[in-house]
């Protein structure tokens, strides 16, 4: 289906698909940012999880669990080593977290509050080492309780520092939330601007692509169609352009010039072939006229001599091959005519002798005919006399009959 689309239609479909995909991508990004931003669903769930952990497990930088272990150790001096081991673990966690926050990029007032908090913490751990641990190992309950009471004082100072630092921390959270909200709005605004800019760029790009590529290619296609039809009368369009389309037009111009030159060369070859054929035809015609003139002259001479009664002449000059049969036929005709005349002459002599005999016989027949004619005349006269006599007799007989009848 995509291969059946023309380039212009394909570009439109591609542009629409890109715009739809961009809108979907921006919507998905916005939806994701709304969920992960501070104050969003995911951030709220994460904060709730942190608060739940803080409610269940005390943080290492807060000495509340350490103080609880001190109280438990005071009540059960027999578990001194276990209590001291637990305190050593809590102290290591405390020092690690305090060192971590001292190196972090939290505000300076928060770091100052952390330092005051750490002062009471260090006093707490120093008294653990100097008074509480020796008393707990010795089993002196009074000394343990006195040390625990002193540690409780450090703990209370530490708690004041914890409260102050908590205020600072909450202020940090609020400031971070405000900053995050502001950053989210900036991000959303930036996404909108970027989306609009990208859409505008796509539209501008499509327009530019259409004006600078699609339409020039359509014009070039129409022009090349004319070239394919043999119309070389027009120059290629857009040769003045300095981009790829101009290069294409220049290449087409070279192709057109080559095609015109090739057409002219073909025409020159045709003209040369026509001229060569005409020249060859004229040469052949001249040669044919020469051959025909030779044949006509020879036949004219032969017929002239034949008209003069010369039956002994022949055409001995060889004719061109196509007329050689005419020469042979002429010579054969002369031979045949001469033989025929000879036979006619011979027959004419015989006919003359017969004619003389016929003349003599005709004269004799004429004399006899005259004699017979004379005899016939005499016989006719006699017949006339007999006829007259018969008529007279008949008349007399009729007269006699009539008389007898009366």
């Amino acid at each position: 289906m995509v291969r059946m689309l023309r380039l212009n239609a394909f570009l439109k479909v591609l542009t629409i698909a890109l715009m739809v995909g961009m809108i979907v991508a921006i919507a998905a990004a916005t939806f994701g940012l709304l969920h992960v931003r501070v104050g969003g669903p995911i951030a709220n769930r994460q904060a709730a999880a942190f608060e739940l952990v803080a409610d269940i497990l005390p943080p290492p930088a807060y000495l509340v669990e350490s103080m609880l272990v001190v109280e438990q150790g005071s009540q059960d001096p027999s578990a001194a080593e276990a209590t001291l081991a637990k305190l050593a673990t809590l102290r290591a966690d405390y020092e690690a977290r305090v060192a971590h926050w001292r190196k972090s990029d939290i505000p300076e007032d928060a770091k100052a509050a952390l330092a005051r908090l750490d002062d009471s913490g260090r006093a707490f751990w120093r008294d653990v080492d100097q008074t509480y641990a020796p008393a707990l190992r010795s089993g002196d309950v009074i000394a343990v309780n006195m040390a625990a009471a002193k540690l409780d004082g450090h703990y209370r100072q530490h708690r004041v520092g914890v409260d102050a630092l908590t205020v600072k921390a909450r202020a940090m959270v609020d400031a971070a939330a405000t900053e995050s909200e502001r950053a989210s709005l900036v991000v959303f605004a930036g996404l909108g601007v970027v989306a609009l800019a990208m859409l505008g760029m796509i539209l501008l790009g499509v327009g530019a692509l259409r004006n600078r590529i699609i339409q020039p290619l359509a014009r070039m296609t129409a022009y090349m169609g004319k070239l394919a039809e043999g119309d070389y009368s027009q120059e290629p369009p857009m040769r003045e352009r300095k981009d790829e389309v101009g290069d294409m037009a220049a290449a087409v111009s070279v192709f057109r010039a080559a095609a015109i030159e090739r057409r002219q060369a073909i025409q020159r070859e045709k003209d040369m072939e026509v001229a060569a054929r005409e020249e060859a035809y004229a040469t052949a015609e001249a040669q044919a006229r020469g051959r025909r003139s030779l044949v006509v002259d020879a036949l004219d001479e032969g017929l002239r001599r034949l008209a003069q009664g010369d039956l002994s002449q022949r055409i001995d000059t060889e004719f061109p091959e196509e007329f050689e049969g005419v020469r042979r036929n002429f010579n054969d005709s002369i031979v045949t005519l001469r033989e025929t005349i000879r036979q006619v002459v011979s027959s004419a002599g015989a006919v003359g002798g017969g004619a003389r005999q016929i003349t003599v016989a005709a004269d004799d027949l004429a004399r006899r005919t005259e004699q017979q004619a004379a005899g016939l005349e005499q016989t006719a006269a006699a017949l006339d006399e007999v006829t007259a006599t018969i008529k007279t007799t008949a008349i007399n007989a009729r007269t006699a009959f009539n008389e007898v009848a009366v």
Side-chain angles (χ1 to χ4, degrees):
M1 182 63 182
V2 174
R3 293 182 179 179
M4 297 175 63
L5 292 176
R6 297 189 60 84
L7 184 59
N8 193 10
F10 175 74
L11 183 62
K12 290 181 180 178
V13 173
L14 181 61
T15 302
I16 294 174
L18 287 175
M19 293 175 65
V20 172
M22 183 175 297
I23 292 173
V24 172
I26 292 174
T30 303
F31 181 78
L33 287 174
L34 288 174
H35 276 69
V36 301
R37 68 183 178 86
V38 177
I42 297 177
N44 290 335
R45 288 195 295 271
Q46 187 176 14
F50 289 156
E51 291 178 0
L52 179 60
V53 172
D55 290 339
I56 297 172
L57 296 176
Y62 186 21
L63 297 179
V64 61
E65 186 177 1
S66 301
M67 189 62 205
L68 178 61
V69 172
V70 169
E71 294 292 341
Q72 291 176 348
S74 301
Q75 296 174 5
D76 186 11
S78 61
E81 295 301 328
T83 299
L84 294 176
K86 179 64 174 175
L87 288 174
T89 302
L90 292 173
R91 181 176 182 177
D93 294 338
Y94 170 83
E95 292 177 348
R97 297 310 300 168
V98 169
H100 167 75
W101 288 113
R102 284 182 180 276
K103 297 178 182 179
S104 65
D105 58 349
I106 60 177
E108 293 299 327
D109 56 346
K111 287 187 176 181
L114 178 64
R116 291 191 295 272
L117 175 70
D118 188 41
D119 290 341
S120 59
R122 290 181 180 277
F124 178 87
W125 293 113
R126 185 173 57 252
D127 286 340
V128 167
D129 293 337
Q130 295 177 0
T131 58
Y132 180 77
L136 188 61
R137 287 192 181 94
S138 65
D140 188 352
V141 177
I142 296 173
V144 170
N145 290 331
M146 289 177 63
K150 190 175 180 179
L151 292 175
D152 183 66
H154 294 310
Y155 167 74
R156 292 181 185 279
Q157 291 179 357
H158 177 77
R159 174 59 188 268
V160 173
V162 168
D163 292 340
L165 186 57
T166 300
V167 173
K168 298 293 184 181
R170 290 186 183 277
M172 289 172 55
V173 171
D174 294 338
T178 301
E179 183 180 1
S180 178
E181 190 71 22
R182 188 185 307 108
S184 298
L185 293 176
V186 173
V187 170
F188 294 150
L191 284 175
V193 172
V194 170
L196 293 176
M198 292 185 68
L199 289 176
M201 291 177 61
I202 290 176
L203 294 177
L204 291 176
V206 170
L209 186 64
R210 182 180 181 86
N211 294 330
R212 295 183 59 83
I213 297 179
I214 301 301
Q215 292 180 353
L217 285 179
R219 292 180 60 190
M220 190 63 66
T221 300
Y223 177 78
M224 294 184 71
K226 292 182 180 179
L227 291 184
E229 294 174 356
D231 183 6
Y232 299 100
S233 60
Q234 298 180 0
E235 292 287 340
M238 300 170 293
R239 290 185 303 164
E240 69 281 358
R241 293 181 55 159
K242 303 302 181 180
D243 54 5
E244 293 79 2
V245 176
D247 296 340
M248 183 184 299
V252 174
S253 179
V254 174
F255 169 78
R256 172 179 173 273
I260 292 175
E261 184 178 356
R262 183 169 62 253
R263 173 182 283 186
Q264 293 175 349
I266 293 174
Q267 187 62 40
R268 286 195 298 270
E269 290 180 0
K270 289 182 179 179
D271 295 340
M272 293 176 62
E273 289 178 359
V274 171
R277 286 197 298 268
E278 291 178 351
E279 183 179 358
Y281 177 78
T283 303
E285 186 66 20
Q287 293 176 354
R289 283 197 302 269
R291 291 193 298 269
R292 287 195 299 269
S293 178
L294 174 64
V295 172
V296 170
D297 292 343
L299 288 176
D300 180 70
E301 178 66 18
L303 291 175
R304 186 183 62 78
R305 293 174 61 185
L306 181 63
Q308 295 174 357
D310 186 3
L311 298 177
S312 62
Q313 56 93 22
R314 290 172 54 85
I315 299 177
D316 296 327
T317 303
E318 293 185 358
F319 284 179
E321 184 178 356
E322 62 270 23
F323 298 110
E324 185 63 24
V326 176
R327 186 181 71 84
R328 288 195 299 268
N329 291 335
F330 180 84
N331 292 335
D332 293 342
S333 297
I334 293 297
V335 173
T336 302
L337 180 61
R338 186 169 56 245
E339 183 64 24
T340 300
I341 296 298
R342 187 185 63 78
Q343 292 178 359
V344 168
V345 170
S346 178
S347 298
V351 170
R356 288 192 294 273
Q357 293 178 0
I358 291 173
T359 301
V360 174
D363 292 341
D364 183 55
L365 180 61
R367 288 193 298 270
R368 286 183 293 180
T369 300
E370 289 178 354
Q371 293 175 0
Q372 290 176 355
L376 288 174
E377 290 178 353
Q378 294 176 1
T379 302
L383 288 174
D384 288 339
E385 292 178 357
V386 171
T387 301
T389 301
I390 291 173
K391 289 182 177 180
T392 302
T393 302
I395 293 171
N396 292 331
R398 183 177 292 279
T399 302
F401 181 74
N402 291 333
E403 291 179 353
V404 174
V406 173

